[in-house]
């Protein structure tokens, strides 16, 4: 078990500059006197410091520290290391189930005689409510209030629960709805860069339940997205297991040309890194070009790490970081502490000094002067198209067969013009016409240059008398209240309003599909005539069907380009040669006539973006707004569960829990619930999207008086285990071998031969007293890490999964929920072993967990006489401890109770 930290001998004191006392103590990397550390990438040094500080020879071992120091040699071998982040970041969709689990743990602690008040996050948890705002009302001065009222009507119950959590739990900050987008709030306010906790200094690092948590990497804070179970584990002080990543060194030189935006840069970088191949790796930026790259531009690049496939896009702290911290209202004392600590621990980059050559796994280089204005689309973020090639590329897309770059529109239909009536006015619609133009997403709304650049485009257009067609759904959703302050101070918001880009709310909108409806007349013109309509948005994802069901072409663009395309009304335009509109005096207006220079933008940024704006915004952020403050919530540290609620429900994780761990247990005579082939993803397993009218979840809601129009989504009901269990394996594209080629969320109940929904079959097995297992092929659980992809099967009664291979994080999540992961031996699978799935399976494990070793062979026996060997995929001693306790949450509760004695 845990012992005293063997690295306490390198604890040093950090003195304040000028002899004004001390900041605190820190674990000194230079004190290790190991020359290998000097060559380590800065991102790897953060992993190293965390391992040293948390070393207890149980969860984190000295061997793990050595693996990280020897990164150059160990990372190619894909070794695993534990990592304990400094804090956890949640948004509301993923925050609700996390708070539900904490509330359940308190109940269990109380029932078992422990102190329920001990159940609190052990690291700081920041929860920002930002995923619930829909653009129902646009192009209106009252849009913000109207949309927020609808948001509270739909989500009152969830919001009330989170408000209770903010009062009930220590170490948890809840940022109310209407405050901004989680990642922009993280960048401008929540990011610490360096923590000082109980007199010990250490680097800020964060895992978040949203893939774009990586935005904070632009501030020199190591952060990335994880699933809910990993986040909950981190909250409870447990280590994450991760593969020690390779690091791609990305060298930047030169300076962006005038008129080229940060969005153009990030789309270029995304394409380069996709081509290079960076999945599972860190990308670390360096070079003299860094001194010319503002922090907001760095954050834009870091934000899109998921789109180029990297775990992080990391920018080490330098003088530009310190300037940004001061701009955003961090105190001089805090900035001094950050600089002093990072310099002392060799984590600060000073480009005025000679640079030590660092070792990277591979290298890329970009001269910023080579970046051209561009967009990405029509269906993927890395399909970059330069502006000058846009018209040609659009016509190619119309011609190409259906695919990522094709719509297969017949030649004779490509010039089709559809007449329709919009609010009693004749109107026309063509392929490529823009019907949604949205300035949205933390990717760009955190960047004053592109936001004020968009406002300058609007001003120039308004001065010339240009207008946006009234049927285009235009919107502006700032990522924080700071944006509104500087747009108002600049005097430019009124021009955005004039073009229909009124502020609609503060949160994730069009970029995550919260676009709201488009006008019925426009929608009918599109659907009845098979028009390929376009959306242009300043977001980070444009996969087909994500932005809006009726926009088959979706282009990512900078905020100024969003305004330009809204004015043009089409993506079928060559901005160099064709006019964007007609001026009041009848002259043709071109793109170049409304496009601001970089100098113009810099001047308005300099005069309009001020530190006091950040201080005022964030001093008030936790005070909420009238609707949040008027929410009535129960007091007390134990939650008063409402048995009639269809949003928040007490899950049965701890129903029969006692103080004695259940210990090692195998599986006896289990039936196979599902028999899968290769590449079953977490999207197949986890409940997601809308709730189908004929599904078990719909039946459950209807029985409780919920009208179909109020079903909402699985995402909004993540706090109700009854809904989520019914939505597990409910994907309409799932392929189950039992169904002989039929696709859909059904399975066969083996004893009776009945074809049932997966939930109904699982329930039938449970009522008959039978355990179940799952058979699967390679890469089981690949895709995004989703907590319900492990929680759901556990609630269905699944005791084990036997697969050819597992996605790493999903395997870990199964262990965390008490499900046994087993791998077929190399070269074997269900088919080669002659398994049909109609057998009954017995998995014998040693009776004591002390007799189990990570990765040992286990015999599986079927009722028809087959015996085969599998590898038991408990990969660490910590995972064995989780299994012994029945899961990670049970392990945490018993540990806290025992700590009392």
């Amino acid at each position: 078990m845990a012992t005293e930290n063997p690295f306490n001998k390198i604890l040093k004191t950090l003195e304040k500059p000028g002899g004004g006392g001390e900041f605190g103590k820190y674990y000194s990397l230079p004190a290790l006197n190991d020359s290998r550390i000097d060559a380590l990438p800065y991102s790897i040094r953060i992993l190293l410091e965390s391992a040293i500080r948390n070393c207890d020879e149980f969860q984190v071992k000295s061997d793990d520290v050595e693996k990280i120091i020897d990164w150059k040699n160990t990372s190619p071998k894909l070794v695993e290391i534990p990592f304990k982040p400094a804090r956890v970041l949640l948004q509301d969709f993923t925050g609700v189930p996390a708070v539900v689990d904490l509330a359940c743990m308190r109940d269990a602690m109380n029932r078992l005689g422990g102190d329920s008040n001990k159940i609190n996050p052990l690291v700081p948890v920041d929860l920002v409510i930002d995923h619930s705002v829909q653009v129902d009302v646009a192009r209106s001065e009252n849009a913000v209030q109207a949309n927020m009222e609808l948001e509270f009507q739909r989500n009152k119950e969830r919001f009330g629960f989170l408000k209770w959590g903010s009062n009930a739990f220590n170490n948890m900050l809840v940022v109310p709805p209407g405050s901004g987008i989680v990642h922009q709030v993280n960048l401008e306010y929540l990011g610490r860069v360096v923590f000082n906790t109980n007199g010990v200094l250490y680097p800020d690092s964060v895992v978040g339940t949203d893939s774009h948590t990586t935005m904070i990497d632009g501030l020199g804070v190591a952060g990335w997205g994880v699933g809910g179970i990993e986040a909950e584990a981190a909250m409870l002080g447990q280590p994450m297991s991760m593969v020690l990543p390779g690091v791609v060194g990305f060298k930047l030189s030169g300076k962006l040309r005038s008129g080229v935006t940060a969005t153009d840069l990030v789309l270029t970088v995304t394409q380069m890194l996709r081509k290079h191949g960076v999945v599972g790796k860190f990308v670390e930026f360096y070079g003299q070009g860094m001194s010319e790259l503002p922090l907001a531009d760095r954050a834009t690049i870091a934000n899109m790490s998921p789109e180029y496939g990297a775990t992080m896009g990391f920018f080490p702290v330098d003088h530009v970081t310190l300037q940004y911290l001061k701009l955003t209202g961090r105190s001089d004392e805090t900035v001094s502490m950050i600089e002093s600590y990072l310099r002392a621990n060799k984590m600060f980059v000073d480009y005025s000094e000679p640079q030590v050559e660092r070792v990277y796994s591979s290298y890329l280089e970009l001269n910023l002067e080579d970046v051209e204005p561009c967009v990405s689309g029509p269906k993927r973020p890395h399909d970059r198209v330069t502006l000058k090639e846009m018209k040609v590329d659009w016509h190619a897309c119309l011609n190409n067969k259906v695919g990522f770059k094709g719509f297969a529109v017949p030649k004779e239909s490509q010039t089709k013009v559809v007449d329709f009536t919009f609010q009693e006015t004749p109107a026309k619609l063509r392929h490529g016409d823009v019907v949604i133009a949205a300035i949205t997403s933390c990717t760009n709304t955190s960047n004053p240059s592109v936001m004020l650049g968009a406002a300058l485009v609007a001003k120039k257009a308004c001065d010339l008398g240009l207008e946006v067609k009234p049927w285009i759904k235009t919107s502006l959703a700032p990522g924080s209240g700071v944006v509104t302050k500087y747009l108002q101070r600049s005097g430019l918001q009124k021009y955005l309003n004039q073009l229909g880009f009124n502020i609609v709310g503060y949160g994730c909108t069009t970029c995550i599909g919260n676009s709201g409806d488009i006008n019925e007349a426009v929608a009918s013109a599109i659907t009845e005539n098979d028009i390929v309509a376009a959306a242009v948005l300043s977001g980070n994802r444009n996969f087909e069907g994500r932005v809006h069901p009726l926009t088959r072409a979706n282009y990512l663009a900078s905020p100024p380009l969003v305004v330009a395309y809204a004015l043009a009304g089409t993506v079928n335009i060559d901005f160099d040669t064709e006019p964007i509109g007609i001026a009041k005096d009848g002259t043709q207006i071109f793109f170049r006539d409304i496009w601001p220079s970089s100098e113009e933008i810099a001047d308005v940024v300099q005069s309009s973006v001020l530190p006091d704006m950040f201080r005022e915004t964030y001093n008030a952020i936790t005070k909420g707004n009238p609707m949040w403050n008027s929410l009535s919530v129960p007091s007390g540290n134990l939650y008063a569960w409402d048995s009639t609620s269809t949003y928040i429900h007490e899950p049965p994780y701890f129903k029969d829990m006692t103080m004695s761990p259940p210990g090692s247990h195998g599986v006896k005579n289990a039936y196979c619930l599902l028999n899968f082939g290769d590449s079953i993803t977490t999207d197949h397993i986890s409940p997601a999207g809308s709730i189908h009218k004929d599904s078990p979840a719909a039946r459950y809601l209807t029985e409780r008086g919920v009208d179909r129009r109020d079903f909402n989504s699985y995402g909004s009901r993540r706090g109700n285990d009854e809904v989520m269990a019914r939505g597990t394996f409910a994907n309409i594209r799932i392929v189950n071998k039992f169904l002989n080629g039929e696709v859909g969320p059904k399975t066969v109940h083996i004893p009776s031969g009945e074809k049932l929904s997966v939930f109904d079959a699982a329930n039938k097995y449970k009522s008959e007293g039978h355990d179940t297992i799952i058979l699967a092929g390679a890469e089981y659980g690949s895709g995004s890490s989703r907590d319900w992809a492990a929680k759901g099967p556990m609630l269905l009664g699944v005791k084990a999964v036997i697969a050819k291979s597992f996605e790493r994080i999903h395997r870990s999540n199964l262990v965390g929920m008490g499900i046994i992961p087993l791998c077929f031996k190399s070269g074997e699978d269900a088919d080669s072993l002659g398994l049909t799935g109609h057998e009954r399976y017995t998995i014998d494990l040693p009776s004591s967990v002390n007799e189990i070793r990570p990765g040992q062979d286990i015999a599986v026996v079927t009722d028809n006489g087959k015996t085969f060997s599998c590898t038991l995929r408990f990969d660490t001693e910590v995972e064995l401890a989780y299994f012994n306790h029945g899961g990670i949450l049970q392990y945490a509760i018993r540990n806290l109770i025992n700590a009392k004695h």
Side-chain angles (χ1 to χ4, degrees):
M1 296 298 286
T3 62
E4 184 181 348
N5 191 331
F7 292 97
N8 282 346
K9 60 181 180 288
I10 62 167
L11 264 176
K12 303 291 181 186
T13 299
L14 183 67
E15 303 290 343
K16 291 184 178 180
E22 62 182 57
F23 286 120
K25 297 190 180 302
Y26 69 103
Y27 287 88
S28 169
L29 301 187
L32 288 171
N33 292 318
D34 193 320
S35 60
R36 292 174 296 176
I37 295 173
D38 291 337
L40 285 179
Y42 285 90
S43 49
I44 298 298
R45 296 181 199 191
I46 292 175
L47 301 183
L48 174 60
E49 190 282 338
S50 174
I52 288 170
R53 178 168 35 86
N54 291 296
C55 187
D56 61 359
E57 300 298 6
F58 174 59
Q59 291 184 335
V60 183
K61 300 181 177 182
S62 298
D63 286 349
D64 298 316
V65 173
E66 172 56 27
K67 285 177 191 174
I68 301 171
I69 292 175
D70 199 33
W71 169 84
K72 180 181 176 182
N73 298 312
T74 54
S75 68
K77 299 174 184 175
L78 303 179
V79 300
E80 292 213 6
I81 60 161
F83 175 60
K84 285 191 167 188
R87 62 188 171 99
V88 173
L89 186 70
L90 306 173
Q91 39 90 334
D92 48 318
F93 272 14
T94 50
V96 167
V99 179
V100 164
D101 289 352
L102 286 172
C104 284
M105 290 176 72
R106 277 211 173 154
D107 287 346
M109 189 87 155
N110 188 56
R111 184 167 48 80
L112 293 169
D115 179 2
S116 61
N117 290 324
K118 277 192 170 184
I119 299 290
N120 284 296
L122 298 180
V123 299
V125 174
D126 301 317
L127 195 162
V128 182
I129 302 175
D130 74 337
H131 267 49
S132 304
V133 59
Q134 292 267 359
V135 187
D136 292 296
V137 179
R139 300 186 79 141
S140 163
E141 295 290 345
N142 301 316
V144 174
Q145 183 67 17
N147 288 325
M148 188 175 284
E149 286 174 2
L150 289 166
E151 180 183 359
F152 270 78
Q153 285 174 24
R154 294 185 184 116
N155 299 283
K156 182 178 180 181
E157 199 173 334
R158 293 192 311 117
F159 289 174
F161 177 67
L162 292 174
K163 186 176 180 182
W164 168 82
S166 70
N167 297 325
F169 294 105
N170 299 330
N171 231 6
M172 180 182 288
L173 170 70
V174 174
V175 177
S179 303
I181 304 174
V182 56
H183 308 305
Q184 185 163 343
V185 174
N186 194 23
L187 185 76
E188 295 176 350
Y189 175 62
L190 298 172
R192 280 72 153 181
V193 186
V194 171
F195 268 91
N196 188 344
T197 304
N198 300 323
V200 177
L201 287 84
Y202 52 95
D204 186 3
S205 58
V206 60
V207 292
T209 52
D210 187 282
S211 57
H212 293 102
T213 299
T214 54
M215 187 169 194
I216 201 66
D217 303 340
L219 195 67
V221 174
W224 59 87
V226 296
I229 292 174
E230 301 99 292
E232 287 183 37
M235 286 163 56
L236 297 169
Q238 300 304 304
M240 294 170 43
S241 179
M242 63 181 289
V243 172
L244 186 60
V247 183
V248 177
F250 199 125
K251 187 176 184 180
L252 297 174
S253 60
K255 182 181 180 180
L256 291 174
R257 290 180 287 121
S258 182
V260 176
T261 68
T263 318
D264 302 324
L265 171 58
V266 73
L267 296 179
T268 303
V269 167
T270 298
Q271 186 182 48
M272 289 177 68
L273 287 169
R274 267 281 172 187
K275 185 177 179 182
H276 187 75
V278 294
V279 173
K281 298 176 182 176
F282 290 174
V283 176
E284 186 166 297
F285 293 87
Y286 70 105
Q288 289 302 319
M290 292 278 281
S291 60
E292 297 291 343
L293 201 62
L295 193 126
D297 292 11
R298 300 176 182 191
T300 301
I301 295 170
N303 177 284
M304 285 190 71
S305 295
E307 282 66 48
Y308 45 80
T311 302
M312 282 205 302
F314 188 73
F315 291 81
V317 176
D318 61 12
H319 70 284
V320 174
T321 320
L322 301 180
Q323 288 168 3
Y324 181 82
L325 291 170
K326 290 178 180 177
L327 171 68
T328 50
R330 273 79 162 194
S331 70
D332 290 343
E333 170 89 355
T334 297
V335 175
S336 174
M337 178 194 73
I338 290 168
E339 181 176 6
S340 298
Y341 168 78
L342 294 175
R343 283 186 181 276
N345 227 7
K346 293 193 173 180
M347 294 179 172
F348 185 88
V349 183
D350 191 334
Y351 286 104
S352 67
E353 298 174 354
Q355 295 298 296
V356 175
E357 194 64 33
R358 290 181 295 285
V359 176
Y360 292 110
S361 309
S362 60
Y363 297 82
L364 277 175
E365 185 169 353
L366 174 66
N367 186 333
L368 298 175
E369 293 173 9
D370 294 336
V371 176
E372 296 182 69
C374 57
V375 297
S376 277
K379 302 181 186 182
R380 294 190 301 186
H382 52 281
D383 289 333
R384 186 178 69 96
V385 187
T386 60
L387 222 51
K388 63 187 179 186
E389 295 168 341
M390 181 60 185
K391 181 158 185 164
V392 171
D393 190 81
W394 171 250
H395 284 279
C397 288
L398 290 179
N399 287 322
N400 293 343
K401 65 181 183 180
V402 173
F404 293 124
K405 293 288 288 185
F407 298 105
V409 177
K411 282 276 188 189
E412 63 274 14
S413 301
Q414 290 180 10
T415 56
K416 175 168 58 178
V417 180
V418 175
D419 291 303
F420 71 102
T421 301
F422 178 81
Q423 295 176 354
E424 302 181 356
T425 304
K428 297 181 185 300
L429 201 65
R430 301 171 177 82
H431 292 300
D433 277 6
V434 174
V435 296
I436 291 177
I439 300 174
T440 179
S441 171
C442 50
T443 308
N444 285 291
T445 66
S446 59
N447 193 320
S449 295
V450 292
M451 295 301 285
L452 287 164
L456 284 170
V457 170
K459 180 182 186 302
K460 289 171 182 279
C462 290
D463 288 348
L464 291 165
L466 301 185
E467 295 179 345
V468 173
K469 292 182 177 72
W471 58 82
I472 297 176
K473 189 165 189 178
T474 44
S475 63
L476 165 59
S480 82
V482 176
V483 178
T484 302
K485 283 185 166 64
Y486 64 64
L487 283 172
Q488 288 173 340
R489 181 179 173 85
S490 69
L492 297 172
Q493 178 67 56
K494 63 184 179 185
Y495 300 107
L496 287 165
N497 292 350
Q498 197 172 321
L499 296 183
F501 287 95
N502 303 84
I503 294 175
V504 295
Y506 299 87
C508 291
T509 56
T510 308
C511 190
I512 60 164
N514 288 359
S515 309
D517 293 332
I518 57 176
N519 180 271
E520 270 186 44
V522 180
S524 297
I526 294 169
T527 54
E528 292 169 12
N529 299 279
D530 200 22
I531 290 292
V532 182
V536 184
L537 64 151
S538 63
N540 45 49
R541 288 188 179 163
N542 56 339
F543 304 120
E544 196 166 13
R546 179 184 175 95
V547 172
H548 192 282
L550 298 183
T551 57
R552 286 154 64 190
N554 301 282
Y555 286 93
L556 305 181
S558 66
L561 274 178
V562 170
V563 177
Y565 274 111
L567 289 161
T570 180
V571 296
N572 182 22
I573 184 172
D574 181 338
F575 279 146
D576 282 346
T577 61
E578 296 177 75
I580 205 166
I582 306 298
K584 286 178 283 195
D585 62 4
T587 59
Q588 292 184 330
I589 303 301
F590 288 85
F591 177 79
R592 56 185 170 271
D593 299 322
I594 61 169
W595 198 253
S597 68
S598 296
E599 291 71 29
E600 286 178 87
I601 295 171
D603 286 348
V604 74
V605 169
Q606 183 71 32
S607 61
S608 304
V609 184
L610 305 172
D612 281 349
M613 294 176 177
F614 293 89
R615 292 191 193 99
E616 288 168 15
T617 299
Y618 290 113
N619 283 343
I621 199 165
T622 55
K623 295 176 183 174
N625 53 65
M627 279 182 272
W628 172 262
N629 295 338
S630 66
L631 276 178
S632 177
V633 298
S635 58
N637 288 341
L638 297 176
Y639 187 68
W641 302 97
D642 177 359
S643 60
T644 65
S645 172
T646 57
Y647 278 98
I648 308 295
H649 184 265
E650 182 179 12
Y653 304 145
F654 314 110
K655 189 176 176 184
D656 301 315
M657 182 180 170
T658 66
M659 273 305 296
S660 300
S664 175
H665 53 280
V667 179
K668 191 169 180 63
N669 283 328
Y671 282 101
C672 180
L673 178 64
L674 293 152
N675 186 2
F676 291 132
D678 295 342
S679 301
I680 292 295
T681 71
T682 51
D683 283 336
H684 290 118
I685 305 167
S686 185
S690 59
I691 297 172
H692 193 273
K693 62 182 175 62
D694 298 322
S695 66
R699 192 168 69 232
Y700 170 86
L701 292 171
T702 302
E703 288 168 356
R704 281 150 186 80
V706 179
D707 192 88
R708 184 179 165 189
R709 68 173 181 271
D710 297 322
F711 281 179
N712 219 325
S713 64
Y714 281 113
S716 69
R717 294 188 182 272
R718 284 184 188 175
N720 188 311
D721 60 286
E722 296 280 6
V723 173
M724 298 302 277
R726 286 163 171 77
T728 301
F729 297 111
N731 188 298
I732 59 171
R733 299 293 175 206
I734 202 164
V735 178
N736 175 8
K737 291 181 184 178
F738 286 153
L739 301 183
N740 299 316
E742 183 185 337
V743 176
K746 301 276 187 182
T747 194
V748 173
H749 176 254
I750 302 299
S752 67
E754 286 182 89
K755 187 168 74 173
L756 302 168
S757 72
V758 176
F759 175 79
D760 288 340
N763 240 17
K764 196 172 178 70
Y765 282 124
K766 285 199 289 183
S767 68
E768 295 164 347
H770 300 309
D771 288 342
T772 54
I773 66 152
I774 290 171
L775 294 177
E779 299 176 342
Y780 182 76
S782 56
S784 299
S785 173
R786 300 186 191 279
D787 54 336
W788 277 106
K791 288 178 176 177
M794 185 275 288
L795 291 171
L796 294 180
V798 174
K799 303 301 181 185
V801 178
I802 309 175
K804 283 178 71 174
S805 64
F806 291 92
E807 191 279 334
R808 185 180 60 83
I809 293 176
H810 182 63
R811 183 206 59 78
S812 175
N813 285 349
L814 290 174
V815 175
M817 295 312 297
I819 295 175
I820 303 168
L822 295 159
C823 276
F824 291 109
K825 287 295 181 182
S826 179
E828 294 182 348
D829 59 18
D831 291 340
S832 71
L833 292 168
L835 303 174
T836 65
H838 288 77
E839 308 85 355
R840 297 183 75 173
Y841 294 79
T842 295
I843 302 165
D844 279 324
L845 294 185
S847 58
S848 169
V849 81
N850 295 326
E851 299 172 35
I852 301 177
R853 296 287 172 267
Q856 78 179 60
D857 287 350
I858 295 293
V860 181
V861 180
T862 67
D863 64 337
N864 62 354
K866 283 185 167 57
T867 300
F868 56 96
S869 181
C870 287
T871 303
L872 181 64
R873 289 298 310 276
F874 297 136
D875 290 359
T876 65
E877 291 177 26
V878 175
E879 288 187 347
L880 282 172
Y882 295 163
F883 177 64
N884 185 52
H885 282 264
I888 187 171
L889 302 179
Q890 293 85 346
Y891 169 85
I893 290 173
R894 292 190 184 100
N895 268 10
L896 284 167
I897 292 176
N898 289 329
K900 178 181 70 172
H901 306 298

